[in-house]
Amino acid sequence: HLLAEVEQTCSHLVVMDRHTGQVLWTTSAKTSFRHNATCVGGDRLYTIDRLSGEQLARNKQDELDAPEPGLIAFDLKTGKEVWSTNAEVFGTWLSYSEKHDVLVEAGRVARDSLFDEPKGMRAYGAKDGKPIWFDKTYAGPAMIHGDTILQGQGGCDLRTGAQKMRQDPITGKLVPWRWAR
């Protein structure tokens, strides 16, 4: 019965009871929250606090040091931090698997996205934030379908990151599984 909303300024998260509208808790970004990098699952709210490419360019132009990006998990009901990491956080997209309690960090590389969308994909144990696997060549968005992450024009196993394969009907050889939108 909770509602998590990212304000347009992307500097605050406000969590509300969706039935009453009562504000339960708020938090402020050190830099800024990106709308595709906030998701909810497992009674936790996950978000990435990092500058966008435009903000980074302004910092560089003004010769300012860029703050280190961070991935934070909050208890959805209380707003208390459950875990966080600053270790090589790069993403602009988060996805959550309820079935496996896995959080996936990625970019959202597409023709209609911002210029600073990164490649790469990392899976975390959502309860404790421990990395499960990382592949710097995978491209998001990381859309989870069962045990598979649909990424780029292929797929990979949610729990291992192994590329999804299929048998070619003509050659009988294993080839990468593909999809198109």
Side-chain angles (χ1 to χ4, degrees), residues 4-143:
E5 178 182 309
V6 181
E7 293 182 356
Q8 282 190 321
T9 63
C10 298
S11 60
H12 304 285
L13 289 174
V14 179
V15 177
M16 305 165 67
D17 181 301
R18 69 183 178 135
H19 296 291
T20 67
Q22 176 188 4
V23 173
L24 301 176
W25 58 272
T26 64
T27 190
S28 299
K30 289 179 184 167
T31 55
S32 67
F33 298 122
R34 207 154 165 160
H35 71 287
N36 285 336
T38 299
C39 71
V40 174
D43 293 323
R44 295 174 295 268
L45 181 143
Y46 310 92
T47 191
I48 293 177
D49 186 352
R50 75 182 275 271
L51 294 175
S52 70
E54 190 174 287
Q55 292 165 321
L56 285 168
R58 256 186 304 204
N59 269 25
K60 192 173 185 179
Q61 181 181 3
D62 296 339
E63 297 181 5
L64 300 172
D65 288 332
E68 195 172 33
L71 170 57
I72 310 128
F74 296 97
D75 180 280
L76 188 57
K77 293 180 180 118
T78 67
K80 291 183 180 171
E81 186 176 301
V82 177
W83 58 264
S84 66
T85 184
N86 296 94
E88 300 178 349
V89 175
F90 66 93
T92 60
W93 179 283
L94 291 176
S95 297
Y96 174 78
S97 167
E98 182 176 11
K99 179 180 176 183
H100 299 289
D101 200 30
V102 171
L103 181 70
V104 179
E105 172 190 16
R108 184 187 171 274
V109 179
R111 290 183 311 254
D112 64 343
S113 59
L114 296 174
F115 71 91
D116 68 332
E117 294 291 342
K119 278 192 159 188
M121 193 172 293
R122 179 177 289 121
Y124 297 90
K127 185 176 185 176
D128 58 14
K130 290 193 168 66
I132 299 170
W133 59 265
F134 174 67
D135 189 307
K136 65 181 179 181
T137 66
Y138 286 167
M143 297 175 289

Side-chain angles (χ1 to χ4, degrees), residues 149-165:
I149 301 173
L150 305 175
Q151 51 87 18
Q153 291 188 335
C156 65
D157 184 278
L158 172 67
R159 293 160 296 181
T160 67
Q163 186 176 36
K164 186 174 174 113
M165 305 295 280

